Amino acid sequence: MANTERAAFKRRIKVRRRALKSHPPGDKRRFLALIKLASAIYNRYVRFRSLKDLEETIQLLRAVLSLHPSGHLDRYRSLTTLGMALTDRFILKGSEEDLEEALSLDREALNLRPLGHPGRHRALNYLAVDLGERYKLRGSKKDLEEAIGLNREALDLRPPSHPDRHKSLNNLANDLRDRHRLTGSEEDLDEAIRLNREALGLRPPGHPDRHDTLYNLACDFKNRYHLRRSEDDLEEAMRLDREALRLRPRGHPDRHHSLGNLAISLWDCYRLRGFEEDLEEATCLDREALGLRSPGHPHRHVSLNNLAVDLRDRYNLKGTPDDLEEAITLYQESLALRPPGHPERHLFLNDFAVGLRDLYALNGLEDDLREAIQLNRKVLALCPPTSPHHARSSWQLARSLCSANNAQDYTNEILQLLQAGSMSQISPLWDSLDCILEW
């Protein structure tokens, strides 16, 4: 089947290459021949994900844009098509230059679709999506807030009867989920679930984008499980994750996302119920996801960290030192991909600190514990009392200090940290208190 499709694409592209040659530079219809060839090559890229096809598409679309200067009737279309191709290349390669250029094109395109223009909703959507990508890359709350505002405006322009409403529902829900993760807002999470439920209703079985909404809704239920600890939310997340993965078989460009998402649900189930098979399946899925996120992939850091967490838990379950050693290596690579200034850096610092604390318990090397304590202090500095992560950060630092041979020297600090965690309504801290009672 794939060979038949490739042959059909090859024939179509060959015909359009000949057509382009018949319209040399200066020909009035050259731009149309360029667009048709770019469209055929881009469609082949979408089907088979060949970077070579995407590169040629971008080259052709640049040529089209050069034929449509400011004021040209078709400039808007040229701006948006080139912007979308650059965004695709950013997602594939992680190049910030591509994303910045796409954003510049998006803003120019939006200016060509002022208030009242019937096509404004699409221009709003393009810019909002790329701002969301830059937020994920750099962590600027300003980008996230602008994306949310643009998506709300786009959704208002796409009422229930609009054929593109499901896209705006999906995009706004994604940004609200990101803001929930940043601020801990329960209202944002509940709204994201409501929006994604509506989107899923507009993407019934057989809809080409159903897998996206299944994936996103699973993320939302998982986040609500972490917030409220309702097993029903975790079960729903697991069900949605498995359906999404079935719709993303091997070779699907988004399979890595569903592998990672289902792995997190399984890991949560393991932590809740203690079934070893859940942990083993999570580990296998995270390994496959990491294999699909080679060096340079914009989401590689997530798979590195998630697999490290799986291996650390398996070490704690089975006591195999190789698992812990591999976890530490993965943590180091993951943290290097989340430099200072990124809003999620504290999460990676925390996980690395826990791994080092386990390594200290295994080998007894004081340097490992000292580094863990240093990392815990950095996490706490990044999570002030107003942060939803402050309590857990306080708890983890207390745990590390309790592990020190001179833990008595930290008695007052440990008690203050535990009090901060208790006041923030974190889960029980009695294991940390036990280490104090043993002095």
Side-chain angles (χ1 to χ4, degrees), residues 7 10 29 48 60 118 153 199 275 284 291:
K10 186 175 181 179
R29 297 183 63 79
F48 297 108
L60 291 166
E153 184 181 348
F275 295 149
C284 289

Side-chain angles (χ1 to χ4, degrees), residues 92-93 289-301 333 337:
L92 198 64
K93 296 178 65 178
L290 182 59
L292 296 173
R293 293 171 169 175
S294 54
H297 193 286
H299 300 295
R300 181 172 173 82
H301 65 284
E333 184 182 348
L337 296 174

Side-chain angles (χ1 to χ4, degrees), residues 76 115 145 186 222 226 240 267 350 383:
Y76 169 81
L115 290 173
E145 294 294 348
E186 293 188 39
K222 216 176 341 275
H226 293 154
L240 294 165
W267 181 83
N350 177 76
C383 299

Side-chain angles (χ1 to χ4, degrees), residues 24-277:
D27 189 299
K28 290 182 180 181
R29 297 183 63 79
R30 181 173 174 81
F31 81 93
L32 188 59
L34 285 165
I35 290 170
K36 287 183 176 180
L37 177 57
S39 176
I41 295 173
Y42 181 75
N43 287 337
R44 186 169 67 179
Y45 160 73
V46 171
R47 177 64 181 87
F48 297 108
R49 296 289 162 167
S50 166
L51 178 59
K52 182 180 178 181
D53 282 341
L54 183 56
E55 299 281 8
E56 186 174 1
T57 299
I58 291 172
Q59 182 182 5
L60 291 166
L61 291 176
R62 287 194 190 283
V64 174
L65 183 61
S66 70
L67 296 174
H68 294 156
S70 296
H72 194 285
L73 186 63
D74 291 318
R75 184 166 177 83
Y76 169 81
R77 181 180 177 187
S78 299
L79 289 165
T80 56
T81 52
L82 177 56
M84 286 188 289
L86 289 166
T87 301
D88 282 345
R89 192 166 68 179
F90 162 73
I91 292 171
L92 198 64
K93 296 178 65 178
S95 169
E96 289 189 45
E97 291 79 6
D98 283 339
L99 182 57
E100 288 301 322
E101 185 178 358
L103 280 163
S104 177
L105 297 171
D106 291 338
R107 291 195 185 280
E108 184 180 347
L110 183 58
N111 287 335
L112 296 175
R113 293 294 183 266
L115 290 173
H117 193 287
R120 182 173 172 83
H121 61 96
R122 292 193 184 89
L124 290 163
N125 180 73
Y126 296 141
L127 179 55
V129 168
D130 287 339
L131 283 167
E133 291 292 342
R134 192 166 71 178
Y135 165 73
K136 292 180 178 67
L137 181 69
R138 296 182 182 173
S140 169
K141 188 179 180 183
K142 180 181 177 182
D143 284 341
L144 182 58
E145 294 294 348
E146 185 179 0
I148 289 172
L150 293 168
N151 276 321
R152 287 199 187 281
E153 184 181 348
L155 184 60
D156 288 342
L157 295 173
R158 292 171 168 176
S161 59
H162 196 285
D164 291 329
R165 182 173 173 83
H166 63 98
K167 295 178 183 178
S168 289
L169 289 165
N170 181 78
N171 294 341
L172 178 55
N174 288 346
D175 288 338
L176 289 169
R177 183 191 317 118
D178 285 338
R179 192 166 69 180
H180 158 73
R181 288 173 175 167
L182 183 66
T183 66
S185 167
E186 293 188 39
E187 292 80 6
D188 283 342
L189 182 56
D190 287 336
E191 185 179 1
I193 290 174
R194 179 181 62 77
L195 293 170
N196 269 323
R197 281 192 185 280
E198 183 182 347
L200 189 62
L202 296 174
R203 294 173 170 179
H207 191 286
D209 295 323
R210 181 174 174 82
H211 61 93
D212 279 333
T213 304
L214 289 165
Y215 168 84
N216 292 330
L217 191 53
C219 289
D220 294 334
F221 276 110
K222 216 176 341 275
N223 286 336
R224 196 166 72 178
Y225 165 73
H226 293 154
L227 187 67
R228 300 173 185 169
R229 296 296 166 179
S230 167
E231 290 188 37
D232 288 343
D233 283 343
L234 182 56
E235 290 293 339
E236 181 68 0
M238 181 83 74
R239 183 187 69 78
L240 294 165
D241 279 332
R242 291 199 182 278
E243 184 181 348
L245 186 59
R246 284 195 295 272
L247 295 175
R248 293 171 168 177
R250 294 184 189 280
H252 192 286
D254 294 323
R255 180 173 173 82
H256 62 100
H257 287 300
S258 286
L259 288 166
N261 219 35
L262 178 55
I264 293 172
S265 293
L266 287 161
W267 181 83
D268 282 332
C269 283
Y270 167 71
R271 282 297 184 96
L272 179 66
R273 298 163 187 165
F275 295 149
E276 184 179 342
E277 55 266 30

